[in-house]
Amino acid sequence: MDIPESDIFKALFYEHYPVVRRKLAALVRDETAADDLAQDVFLRLYRNPPDDPGALGAWLHRVLTRIGYDYLNKVARERRLQNKQELLFDIGASPPTGEEVVLAKLDQEDVRTWLDSLPDRDRQALLLRYSGYSYAEIAGELGVKPPVVGTLLSRATTKLRQHAVETLPQTTRP
């Protein structure tokens, strides 16, 4: 198929562009990228048209699919590279200072003290919940019915909060 005439190319473009663009938009899920990629498809058609004019639809589909997958691979590579860079240059990933380590240990000691002041069942319920156990698993461990676990956790949290408020130094407000 030889497309030297710009009128023939225009006619093919206006006839097939909406379908090519729609298929690309569905493939890459990005309207703006689909516009650019559809232009690339027709640029390839203009530069290197298929030999058989009857196979134009299949040729367009094959080219748009190849261009779409190339674009998706490029986006995935860029995303992986960006994730690697964020991991390497993450400022928040710097090691904690000595002061931060000491404060964290003090906080842990305070929480342990407050937990030790709770009844065994309350302490166990809170530790299980914050270790990732489900309500059903907590109920099995504590020997209670699953609907009771929510109330039990709520009451244990309230008791823990009260112990924390009682032991933390109170600041006076002016």
Side-chain angles (χ1 to χ4, degrees):
M1 178 173 167
D2 191 17
I3 309 179
E5 305 291 328
S6 63
D7 291 337
I8 295 172
F9 181 76
K10 281 183 189 178
L12 289 173
F13 178 82
Y14 288 123
E15 178 183 347
H16 294 283
Y17 179 82
V19 173
V20 168
R21 192 201 165 283
R22 186 180 71 241
K23 287 181 179 180
L24 281 166
L27 180 64
V28 300
R29 300 187 190 280
D30 182 351
E31 298 292 326
T32 306
D35 289 335
D36 293 341
L37 297 173
Q39 290 177 14
D40 287 344
V41 170
F42 284 97
L43 187 61
R44 287 189 188 182
L45 174 64
Y46 185 79
R47 290 181 180 163
N48 189 20
D51 295 329
D52 181 15
L56 179 64
W59 185 92
L60 286 171
H61 182 74
R62 187 175 67 245
V63 171
L64 79 86
T65 302
R66 186 175 302 133
I67 287 176
Y69 282 126
D70 287 347
Y71 171 79
L72 290 173
N73 288 336
K74 177 185 156 215
V75 169
R77 279 191 313 273
E78 289 173 351
R79 190 176 313 122
R80 283 192 305 270
L81 178 61
Q82 183 177 6
N83 289 342
K84 282 182 184 178
Q85 289 174 339
E86 287 175 358
L87 286 175
L88 289 175
F89 299 110
D90 187 13
I91 295 172
S94 62
T97 64
E99 181 181 7
E100 291 170 339
V101 170
V102 170
L103 289 174
K105 284 184 180 179
L106 289 173
D107 289 343
Q108 289 174 358
E109 290 172 8
D110 287 343
V111 172
R112 283 188 190 119
T113 303
W114 300 332
L115 282 170
D116 288 341
S117 66
L118 293 177
D120 285 339
R121 190 169 85 165
D122 291 346
R123 180 175 52 254
Q124 259 189 312
L126 287 173
L127 289 173
L128 290 171
R129 183 62 186 155
Y130 290 102
S131 294
Y133 284 72
S134 69
Y135 278 31
E137 293 169 326
I138 294 170
E141 287 288 322
L142 299 178
V144 297
K145 294 182 181 179
V148 175
V149 173
T151 304
L152 184 66
L153 287 170
S154 176
R155 289 180 183 163
T157 303
T158 302
K159 289 176 189 175
L160 183 68
R161 190 176 296 123
Q162 286 173 347
H163 287 291
V165 168
E166 291 168 2
T167 59
L168 285 176
Q170 300 297 321
T171 57
T172 57
R173 295 186 184 181

